[in-house]
């Protein structure tokens, strides 16, 4: 294995997330989804994780989680070409549209301004609704950031990061 622990996989996810923020594109989105989709299995078998991390994982991977369903269904489609089972969650990812020329989002912090997510404009079509893949990536990364960077810190001592902090602006 190239990444032997769930922490190493999270570190990879963070690198791919930051690449996407610099240049949003289908290849890095595919890597992000595949890595994020593999995280629950790695985390389930990681004895170093505390209960708060396991609880956070459980909250993320429920059938009703929009972000988990998008992640899991796209990853399975990339791996197996067709959906694997009939029935399942009510939310069904139908397609992903990639259009060149996405302008991204202007992100301002007290130190700098930066456009994030410029590159391809990618949308996920699920159950008749279109969702920005950029928004999905940011939300999904925030789930894993919480699990690996925040969960072990006592709640009173946690500093909630801004998007600028997550992106590295």
């Amino acid at each position: 294995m190239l990444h032997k622990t769930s922490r190493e996989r999270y570190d990879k996810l963070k690198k791919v997330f930051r690449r996407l923020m610099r240049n949003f594109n289908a290849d890095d989105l595919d890597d992000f989804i595949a890595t994020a989709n593999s995280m629950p299995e790695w985390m389930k078998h990681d004895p170093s994780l505390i209960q708060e991390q396991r609880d956070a994982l459980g909250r993320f991977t429920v059938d009703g989680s929009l972000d988990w369903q998008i992640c899991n269904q796209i990853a399975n489609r990339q791996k197996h070409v067709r959906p694997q089972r009939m029935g399942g969650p009510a939310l069904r990812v139908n397609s992903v549209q990639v259009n060149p020329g996405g302008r991204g989002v202007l992100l301002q912090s007290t130190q700098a301004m930066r456009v994030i997510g410029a590159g391809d404009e990618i949308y996920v079509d699920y159950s008749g609704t279109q969702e920005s893949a950029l928004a999905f990536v940011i939300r999904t990364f925030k789930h894993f950031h919480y699990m690996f960077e925040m969960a072990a810190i006592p709640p009173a001592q946690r500093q909630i990061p801004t998007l600028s902090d997550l992106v590295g602006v």
Side-chain angles (χ1 to χ4, degrees), residues 79-121:
K79 183 177 175 184
H80 301 292
V81 182
R82 298 173 199 239
Q84 289 301 292
R85 60 187 164 114
M86 297 303 289
L91 180 142
R92 168 79 71 203
V93 174
N94 300 314
S95 64
V96 177
Q97 294 89 38
V98 179
N99 302 308
R103 298 185 309 182
V105 177
L106 179 64
L107 185 61
Q108 292 180 284
S109 71
T110 55
Q111 292 85 20
M113 286 192 313
R114 180 172 155 202
V115 173
I116 62 166
D120 291 337
E121 189 169 40

Side-chain angles (χ1 to χ4, degrees), residues 10-20 22:
Y10 168 72
D11 290 341
K12 176 186 178 182
L13 187 72
K14 187 190 305 188
K15 288 176 189 171
V16 176
F17 171 75
R18 290 195 169 158
R19 280 198 322 251
L20 282 165
R22 287 189 301 273

Side-chain angles (χ1 to χ4, degrees), residues 12 42 53 115 117 150:
K12 176 186 178 182
W42 280 87
Q53 290 171 298
V115 173
M150 306 279 294

